């Protein structure tokens, strides 16, 4: 099987797509809103040299099933636990980006015995502020406007532009490429419905409506790495500093000149920082025992 080829497993009657490779301690990579497992494609090869990497398409996203169901953080966390069970993994380090960071923290609250460490990347759930566009999409009636904004010809045009850049020997900025792919996925009606249910579970017109700030003292019991781009236009970098201050012993890594997708924009550095951090954690655990 090709490394990182998309695979499928049945979880409680729902088809869940995932990618996996490598050996060693398990890393569970959790993508963000309207994302998919391939967002990690640039870092998976480096991480798989040291770890067993598992990157799912969350329920309602990518190639996974999109049922009419619960898209809350708690439901996603339970789904990740069930995926680990199905793949025979008892515990993992969770690396969550954006929405995935909120899900990773929820997993640590619900299943602390199964979470080895946390890596929060441009994470949701750490403050009210969020992109005005995401807030606007929570208003009643957005489900009628979004199909017009994400019509297939428009989303195909964005992908076509990326192809033109490639043929000219150029590559669009990785953060722009990720946003194009996320935007393009919403041309599918089922994906769009799941997206709106997921969004409205965590965001309203005032901003992020689910906060982990009052429970960060619980998460601080896990070794935690916080990674953020200082030019994040979706969730401001100030959330990273506030989270670091609220979690004594956490490590903070700021990527200068980077937006909402550090793992795409600076993949080599991202993989290096994660590997170094988890190596240090392993040494601390070994010396403590």
């Amino acid at each position: 099987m090709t490394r990182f080829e998309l695979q499928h497993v049945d979880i409680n009657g729902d088809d869940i797509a995932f990618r996996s490779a490598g050996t060693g301690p398990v890393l569970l990579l959790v993508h963000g809103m309207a994302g998919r497992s391939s967002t990690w494609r640039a870092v998976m090869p480096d991480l798989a040299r040291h770890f067993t990497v598992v990157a799912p398409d969350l329920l309602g996203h990518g190639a996974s099933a999109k049922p009419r169901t619960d898209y809350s953080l708690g439901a996603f966390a339970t789904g990740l636990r069930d995926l680990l069970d199905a793949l025979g993994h008892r515990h993992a380090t969770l690396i969550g980006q954006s929405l995935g960071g909120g899900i990773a923290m929820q997993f640590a609250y619900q299943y602390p015995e199964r979470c080895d460490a946390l890596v929060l990347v441009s994470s949701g759930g750490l403050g009210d502020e969020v992109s005005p566009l995401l807030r606007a999409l929570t208003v009643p009636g957005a489900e009628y406007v979004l199909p017009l904004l994400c019509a297939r010809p428009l989303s195909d045009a964005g992908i076509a532009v990326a192809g033109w850049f490639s043929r000219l020997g150029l590559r669009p900025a990785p953060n722009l490429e990720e946003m194009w792919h996320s935007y393009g996925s919403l041309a599918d009606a089922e994906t769009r419905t799941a997206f709106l249910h997921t969004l409205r579970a965590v965001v309203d017109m005032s901003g992020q409506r689910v906060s982990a700030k009052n429970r960060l003292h619980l998460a601080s019991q896990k070794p935690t790495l916080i990674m953020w781009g200082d030019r994040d236009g979706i969730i401001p970098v100030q959330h990273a500093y506030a989270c670091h201050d609220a979690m004594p012993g956490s490590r903070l890594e700021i990527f200068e000149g980077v937006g909402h997708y550090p793992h795409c924009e600076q993949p080599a550095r991202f993989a290096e920082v994660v590997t170094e951090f988890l190596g240090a954690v392993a040494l601390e655990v070994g010396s403590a025992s």
Side-chain angles (χ1 to χ4, degrees):
M1 178 177 291
T2 304
R3 283 166 60 87
F4 311 121
E5 181 179 339
L6 202 62
Q7 304 174 58
H8 292 265
V9 63
D10 183 277
I11 304 290
N12 301 321
D14 291 316
D15 181 59
I16 299 298
F18 70 97
R19 303 173 195 273
S20 184
T23 57
V26 179
L27 303 186
L28 186 56
L29 310 185
V30 190
H31 63 73
M33 189 90 65
R36 67 246 178 272
S37 56
S38 60
T39 189
W40 305 104
R41 61 192 175 280
V43 298
M44 287 183 75
D46 284 342
L47 293 176
R49 294 192 182 111
H50 308 281
F51 307 99
T52 298
V53 180
V54 178
D57 287 358
L58 292 170
L59 193 69
H61 295 71
S64 289
K66 301 166 181 68
R68 179 179 173 83
T69 190
D70 181 3
Y71 288 102
S72 66
L73 295 184
F76 280 125
T78 299
L80 292 179
R81 179 207 60 184
D82 293 344
L83 175 63
L84 290 177
D85 284 345
L87 299 181
H89 303 310
R90 290 300 306 157
H91 49 88
T93 288
L94 273 80
I95 302 180
Q97 189 261 340
S98 196
L99 170 71
I103 295 170
M105 286 187 285
Q106 185 68 35
F107 184 97
Y109 304 146
Q110 291 181 201
Y111 311 109
E113 73 285 357
R114 306 195 65 169
C115 178
D116 297 330
L118 283 170
V119 179
L120 305 177
V121 186
S122 310
S123 177
L126 298 172
D128 295 339
E129 297 85 359
V130 72
S131 163
L133 175 60
L134 292 179
R135 296 203 307 268
L137 290 174
T138 67
V139 302
E143 57 268 34
Y144 303 111
V145 177
L146 196 56
L148 302 177
L149 299 177
C150 300
R152 179 65 67 184
L154 296 178
S155 61
D156 288 347
I159 296 170
V161 169
W164 297 337
F165 273 109
S166 298
R167 286 192 289 274
L168 291 172
L170 304 172
R171 183 178 176 183
N175 61 329
L176 183 59
E177 189 174 3
E178 278 304 301
M179 286 189 286
W180 272 341
H181 281 291
S182 296
Y183 168 77
S185 73
L186 299 180
D188 173 71
E190 289 186 337
T191 300
R192 193 165 57 245
T193 298
F195 163 78
L196 287 172
H197 283 306
T198 303
L199 176 65
R200 288 167 173 168
V202 294
V203 174
D204 62 20
M205 271 300 293
S206 298
Q208 296 189 64
R209 57 190 295 263
V210 176
S211 175
K213 289 190 291 185
N214 64 345
R215 293 187 289 175
L216 286 179
H217 65 285
L218 299 174
S220 66
Q221 298 172 16
K222 300 294 181 183
T224 301
L225 168 63
I226 304 160
M227 307 173 81
W228 225 283
D230 68 351
R231 296 187 181 178
D232 192 330
I234 306 295
I235 304 175
V237 69
Q238 287 78 10
H239 291 200
Y241 293 109
C243 180
H244 178 52
D245 289 343
M247 299 181 72
S250 63
R251 173 174 172 179
L252 176 63
E253 191 78 17
I254 301 297
F255 290 66
E256 294 184 3
V258 167
H260 194 54
Y261 303 93
H263 58 295
C264 299
E265 298 173 65
Q266 292 189 7
R269 179 182 169 195
F270 182 96
E272 180 181 359
V273 171
V274 169
T275 301
E276 177 191 340
F277 168 71
L278 293 177
V281 168
L283 285 175
E284 290 177 9
V285 172
S287 62
S289 59

